[in-house]
Amino acid sequence: MSSADGSNAAKFSPDFQSILAAFGLAAPLKEASELRAGNINTTYRVELCDGGEFILQRINHHVFAQPERIMDNIERVTAHLKTRMSADGGDRERKVLSFLRAGDGMIHWDADGEPWRCYIFVGGATAYNTAVKDVHLLQTGRAFGDFQRCLADFPIDTLHETIAGFHDTPRRYRAFEDAAAADRVNRRRTVAREIEFIRSRSELCPCIVSQLESGALPRRVTHNDTKINNVLIDDATDEAICVIDLDTVMPGSSLYDFGDMIRFGANTAVEDEADLSKIELDMKKYQLFTQGFLERAHGFMPADELLQLPLGVRLMTYELVIRFLTDYLDGDRYFRVDNAEHNLTRTRAQIRLLEDIERKMDRMTAFIQAKVESFGACYPSGGDMECGQKRIS
Ligand code: GN1
Ligand code: MG
């Protein structure tokens, strides 16, 4: 593993004991292991000799320049979610992330210029990179639909924009053109076809931001990183219990969350699959995710918003093509990479996926259309459902 900005260098050996002490945890450390799921932050699961289990995470401050802002968002969003979760009588502590405060009252702690935070580990649950059972897909769809529902009345304008223009696709496109023009590491000549692919679809870029600006699509509190491995699935019941990785919670569009969930989770292969023949959009997986999402989103999201969800799938995949190739052209300064070609492998995999998504747009929309029609016969929209309530089977 390597990273050009050095912020996630594997050789970094944290002083766990003193970081734990900063969060008021005095028991000796029994074991610490790195969890390698994310591309940005560095995450460890730690176990203490008194049996306590925690997640310690070093926030990548090259990406999140103001950690206090993400922690402020997270503090208020988790508090809001906890009040909503109490309605269904479940275990709120397992359903919403809980963090520890450092001695100075802050919810992150600076150790040698590196910001750290500490979450209570949620036991008996798994974050799957790939669904093992069909029910995991349905449950993940429900979890992200619930996330939207539970935050529908959150005061959206109080949220910090933790990464400026995160899903501002036209801005991502300009950054790509700048990187291609600068050609810092002399890679442009090797990616002429990929550059051409991105340029051939440039008219896609404003399709969501322009609708948010005009009011055609509502602004919503969005998670913005809706990978299946950002939902914890209960080992005993296979139910989704907790949405994690709240760093990019910001104002956005439901199309972003739905789109990225499908882009990542309904791919027949992994995000960085090198064998392109393995990559397509699995319509069965799509239907399970979508069923779950619509169960929870229908009733407060209007039909015209739901019918645009496949546009989010297309745009999120296109945006990742742009972002991965931009980083490749920049010399791998943003995403964690395992080898020099990693960002190019990711780019090519996402291009292949996008081509298949484009072939399946009509089928994706038809599935939603049919669901919306059948749900519409069951109950009127009006947003009166509690989080976690199952009104549609
Ligand atoms: C990053 O690190 P991780 O897996 O949570 C990235 C997402 C990308 C994703 C692609 C803050 O997420 O936007 O979709 O990699 N997060 C940030 O794998 O840029
Ligand atoms: Mg993330």
Side-chain angles (χ1 to χ4, degrees):
M1 186 188 81
S2 69
S3 174
D5 68 11
S7 59
N8 281 322
K11 290 170 214 73
F12 184 92
S13 177
D15 179 358
F16 290 115
Q17 202 71 66
S18 66
I19 297 165
L20 288 165
F23 288 101
L25 299 167
L29 177 70
K30 187 172 167 198
E31 203 181 327
S33 52
E34 186 176 349
L35 306 178
R36 294 288 310 275
N39 291 328
I40 306 293
N41 296 321
T42 309
T43 307
Y44 301 89
R45 176 185 169 181
V46 296
E47 200 182 332
L48 309 188
C49 288
D50 65 0
E53 290 179 283
F54 300 90
I55 291 290
L56 273 186
Q57 203 165 38
R58 193 175 68 225
I59 303 169
N60 182 334
H61 61 95
H62 299 271
V63 171
F64 297 105
Q66 293 173 293
E68 60 285 357
R69 291 178 156 225
I70 51 174
M71 297 316 291
D72 183 58
N73 280 357
I74 290 172
E75 181 167 26
R76 289 181 303 111
V77 163
T78 53
H80 191 92
L81 288 172
K82 279 185 181 169
T83 63
R84 294 290 169 278
M85 292 297 168
S86 59
D88 69 359
D91 179 354
R92 288 190 304 165
E93 298 311 314
R94 287 189 87 222
K95 289 188 164 185
V96 184
L97 283 176
S98 299
F99 49 79
L100 299 190
R101 283 182 188 280
D104 58 2
M106 297 285 283
I107 49 181
H108 70 92
W109 169 257
D110 278 338
D112 298 330
E114 303 282 352
W116 287 81
R117 67 183 159 203
C118 183
Y119 287 114
I120 295 174
F121 181 76
V122 179
T126 303
Y128 292 97
N129 288 321
T130 309
V132 174
K133 300 179 186 171
D134 283 354
V135 68
H136 298 164
L137 306 170
L138 185 72
Q139 287 288 331
T140 300
R142 284 182 184 161
F144 286 126
D146 268 343
F147 189 84
Q148 292 271 314
R149 172 180 298 284
C150 293
L151 292 167
D153 61 344
F154 187 89
I156 190 165
D157 289 319
T158 66
L159 282 175
H160 304 285
E161 200 179 359
T162 53
I163 299 182
F166 192 60
H167 285 313
D168 182 342
T169 321
R171 180 170 163 162
R172 296 279 186 195
Y173 186 88
R174 288 194 295 277
F176 149 72
E177 286 290 7
D178 289 349
D183 195 19
R184 302 177 67 236
V185 286
N186 200 25
R187 285 174 165 173
R188 186 178 56 203
R189 63 192 163 76
T190 63
V191 292
R193 279 177 41 213
E194 288 75 15
I195 289 176
E196 214 27 64
F197 181 92
I198 291 174
R199 287 184 177 153
S200 71
R201 282 158 176 77
S202 62
E203 83 287 350
L204 264 180
C205 290
C207 68
I208 296 181
V209 286
S210 63
Q211 294 197 68
L212 287 172
E213 274 161 25
S214 71
L217 277 173
R219 284 165 78 240
R220 298 195 182 279
V221 177
T222 39
H223 180 278
N224 290 312
D225 194 8
T226 46
K227 294 174 166 179
I228 187 169
N229 58 15
N230 279 333
V231 174
L232 299 182
I233 304 281
D234 190 290
D235 293 336
T237 64
D238 282 323
E239 281 180 22
I241 47 171
C242 183
V243 171
I244 61 172
D245 189 1
L246 305 176
D247 294 337
T248 46
V249 171
M250 284 183 267
S253 161
S254 60
L255 276 59
Y256 299 151
D257 276 4
F258 180 84
D260 214 33
M261 173 177 74
I262 300 297
R263 174 194 73 79
F264 189 84
N267 187 347
T268 49
V270 289
E271 184 181 62
D272 54 358
E273 176 59 58
D275 180 351
L276 299 184
S277 71
K278 289 186 181 164
I279 299 171
E280 60 179 286
L281 181 80
D282 182 328
M283 282 304 287
K284 184 171 172 226
K285 287 184 175 178
Y286 167 82
Q287 289 175 4
L288 285 161
F289 276 123
T290 305
Q291 167 78 25
F293 188 86
L294 292 181
E295 283 174 12
R296 302 302 164 83
H298 185 263
F300 79 98
M301 281 187 198
D304 53 358
E305 184 179 2
L306 297 175
L307 287 168
Q308 288 213 67
L309 292 173
L311 181 62
V313 183
R314 188 178 183 203
L315 193 75
M316 285 301 94
T317 310
Y318 178 56
E319 195 177 277
L320 263 298
V321 173
I322 294 173
R323 292 178 64 192
F324 287 142
L325 192 64
T326 302
D327 202 33
Y328 184 71
L329 288 162
D330 268 346
D332 308 319
R333 303 198 303 166
Y334 187 89
F335 294 106
R336 188 194 301 248
V337 290
D338 290 338
N339 57 68
E341 298 304 290
H342 203 164
N343 274 317
L344 182 56
T345 308
R346 288 169 172 147
T347 304
R348 289 181 173 152
Q350 296 298 297
I351 286 177
R352 173 58 75 101
L353 181 64
L354 178 54
E355 287 172 335
D356 198 45
I357 285 168
E358 289 174 345
R359 280 189 285 273
K360 291 173 177 162
M361 287 294 284
D362 289 348
R363 286 168 63 193
M364 282 196 275
T365 307
F367 182 80
I368 294 176
Q369 176 87 52
K371 286 288 164 195
V372 167
E373 281 166 16
S374 69
F375 291 171
C378 295
Y379 61 87
S381 64
D384 59 338
M385 293 196 296
E386 295 291 348
C387 293
Q389 209 169 323
K390 294 169 192 162
R391 295 256 308 249
I392 308 154
S393 56

